[in-house]
């Protein structure tokens, strides 16, 4: 493909902000042809922020031959249907996390993408942070040696007002709680770094800090791909919200990835720091983070279209992370709405 890639943004909620900022940065490689919302008021509000054409007519957008690809930012419950319509119209698709409400629907989405033969990517942007890329390289190159143990903590905060918004924290809208909606980014990154071969045990509950249907606290004992022990704790009840943390004990050193900041400490005395690029959205302001990683996700998606390859985060990769969420909650005996699991 030559020339700029035509983009349609589908869904103009809060998630559209980092994507739209990124597309402005990538204007030399792409052009936003349309920004679509079912709500006329939301479309007009978006038009006041960004210089993109807006519409409420998705059919017209999908019929537009100038649109090569769509970025689907609608609620998870609509990802399968919206993406399938895009594939049928011959468009490539980049979809926000999670894939869908359930892994079964996510699997159908992945199959639809492969059948269509279109580039299909998922927005799991933590993999694209500079510190994440450096840590992956250190692991892949053997700088840290063998993985002996690993830890993942996501001590985030969401006020009750967040869950009071219609559908928040429900299976019908979000598909899950802290694991699928907030911690999925860190869990996906963790899985891509160390692998997870087994869920040994888990706990899940709704703390006294929230009234909601889905879980706001999960802990688990895991095994990495190499069989090393690993632990996970994820919550949205840790006021006022703290950066997520991945720690890896290697036979040659130790890695601490805190938010977007990485510190490597090697047994031979060397050390290295990759500084963070900004906040992580761990507190009450869910959009309090820079859009650099989103820009990298979209840039990779555009490159994949031009080069005829898969993006870094394929549908299969995102599905593997969502299946891990299922396995952890199953190990916890979790049933949404019951408070603490038995």
């Amino acid at each position: 493909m030559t020339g700029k890639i035509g983009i349609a943004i589908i869904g103009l909620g809060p998630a559209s902000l980092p994507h739209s900022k990124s597309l402005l940065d990538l204007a030399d490689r792409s052009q936003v042809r349309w920004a679509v919302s079912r709500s006329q008021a939301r479309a007009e509000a978006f038009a006041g922020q960004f210089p993109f054409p807006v519409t409420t007519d998705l059919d017209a957008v999908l019929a537009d031959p100038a649109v090569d690809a769509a970025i689907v930012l609608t609620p998870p419950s609509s990802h399968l249907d919206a993406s399938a319509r895009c594939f049928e119209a011959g468009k490539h698709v980049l979809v926000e996390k999670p894939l869908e409400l359930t892994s079964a629907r996510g699997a159908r989405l992945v199959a639809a993408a492969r059948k269509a033969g279109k580039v299909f990517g998922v927005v799991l942007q933590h993999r694209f942070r500079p510190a994440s890329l450096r840590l992956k390289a250190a692991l892949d190159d053997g700088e840290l040696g063998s993985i002996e143990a690993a830890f993942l903590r996501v001590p985030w905060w969401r006020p009750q007002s967040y869950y009071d918004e219609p559908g928040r924290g429900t299976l019908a809208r979000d598909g899950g709680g802290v694991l699928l909606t907030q911690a999925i980014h860190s869990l996906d990154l963790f899985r891509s770094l160390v692998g997870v071969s087994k869920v040994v045990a888990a706990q899940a509950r709704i703390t006294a800090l929230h009234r909601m249907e889905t879980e706001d606290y999960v802990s688990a004992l895991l095994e990495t791909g190499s069989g090393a022990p690993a632990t996970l704790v994820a919550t949205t009840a840790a006021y006022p919200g703290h950066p997520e943390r991945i720690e890896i004990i290697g036979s040659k050193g130790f890695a601490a990835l805190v938010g977007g900041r990485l510190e490597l400490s090697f047994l031979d005395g060397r050390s290295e720091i990759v500084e963070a690029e900004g906040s992580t959205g761990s507190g009450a302001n869910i959009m309090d983070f820079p859009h650099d990683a989103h820009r990298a996700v979209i840039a990779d998606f555009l490159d994949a279209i031009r080069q005829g390859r898969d993006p870094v985060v394929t549908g299969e990769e995102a599905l593997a992370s969502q299946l891990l969420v299922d396995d952890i909650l199953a190990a916890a005996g979790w049933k949404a709405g019951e408070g603490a699991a038995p």
Side-chain angles (χ1 to χ4, degrees):
M1 176 178 292
T2 59
K4 294 184 179 182
I5 295 174
I7 300 291
I9 304 172
I10 301 176
L12 302 181
S16 67
L17 297 179
H19 289 278
S20 298
K21 292 176 181 177
S22 299
L23 288 164
L24 287 175
D25 293 344
L26 296 168
D28 60 328
R29 305 167 55 186
S30 63
Q31 181 176 1
V32 177
R33 300 288 184 174
W34 296 103
V36 191
S37 175
R38 290 183 301 178
S39 165
Q40 182 65 39
R42 179 165 284 181
E44 292 174 358
F46 180 87
Q49 292 181 280
F50 297 99
F52 305 142
V54 298
T55 182
T56 59
D57 190 346
L58 180 57
D59 289 330
V61 170
L62 295 180
D64 186 347
V67 173
D68 303 300
I71 300 179
V72 176
L73 308 177
T74 55
S77 59
S78 64
H79 286 179
L80 174 58
D81 294 339
S83 299
R85 290 183 65 184
C86 293
F87 293 139
E88 290 170 2
K91 316 301 184 185
H92 306 285
V93 173
L94 178 66
V95 68
E96 256 293 352
K97 62 79 186 169
L99 273 174
E100 250 285 355
L101 285 183
T102 66
S103 295
R105 286 180 62 83
R108 289 173 57 191
L109 175 50
V110 173
R114 289 300 181 191
K115 182 178 180 180
K118 294 297 178 180
V119 172
F120 178 56
V122 184
V123 182
L124 288 164
Q125 73 271 10
H126 284 201
R127 294 202 196 190
F128 290 83
R129 291 172 170 173
S132 301
L133 295 171
R134 176 63 186 106
L135 177 53
K136 180 170 176 54
L139 290 167
D140 290 347
D141 295 343
E143 295 179 69
L144 288 170
S146 60
I147 295 173
E148 300 301 318
F151 313 87
L152 169 61
R153 288 199 304 140
V154 185
W156 282 20
W157 167 253
R158 292 292 184 265
Q160 182 58 42
S161 58
Y162 171 86
Y163 293 110
D164 288 341
E165 294 181 17
R168 286 288 192 188
T170 67
L171 292 177
R173 181 194 184 279
D174 289 346
V178 61
L179 280 188
L180 192 62
T181 306
Q182 283 84 31
I184 187 66
H185 288 293
S186 297
L187 186 62
D188 173 75
L189 175 60
F190 187 72
R191 189 188 63 79
S192 74
L193 292 171
V194 306
V196 177
S197 60
K198 183 179 180 180
V199 179
V200 179
Q203 296 176 315
R205 66 174 298 161
I206 304 169
T207 70
L209 286 85
H210 292 132
R211 299 181 307 277
M212 55 191 292
E213 180 184 12
T214 56
E215 85 289 349
D216 71 346
Y217 174 90
V218 176
S219 61
L221 299 177
L222 312 169
E223 285 187 7
T224 70
S226 64
T231 61
L232 171 151
V233 176
T235 184
T236 53
Y239 181 82
H242 309 274
E244 61 277 5
R245 188 180 191 98
I246 291 175
E247 296 174 317
I248 299 173
I249 296 175
S251 60
K252 296 181 180 179
F254 179 77
L257 179 62
V258 183
R261 183 182 190 273
L262 173 66
E263 185 170 353
L264 297 171
S265 303
F266 299 98
L267 268 62
D268 62 9
R270 292 180 298 117
S271 63
E272 179 182 342
I273 293 176
V274 178
E275 291 293 350
E277 67 274 20
S279 301
T280 66
S282 62
N285 181 0
I286 64 174
M287 303 310 293
D288 181 25
F289 55 82
H291 66 278
D292 307 56
H294 281 79
R295 182 174 61 232
V297 170
I298 297 174
D300 173 67
F301 177 63
L302 297 174
D303 288 343
I305 293 173
R306 292 190 185 282
Q307 298 165 14
R309 61 165 174 85
D310 282 336
V312 169
V313 185
T314 62
E316 287 85 356
E317 277 290 291
L319 181 59
S321 293
Q322 190 159 345
L323 288 168
L324 177 56
V325 169
D326 292 348
D327 290 345
I328 293 171
L329 292 177
W334 172 252
K335 293 182 180 179
E338 291 191 353

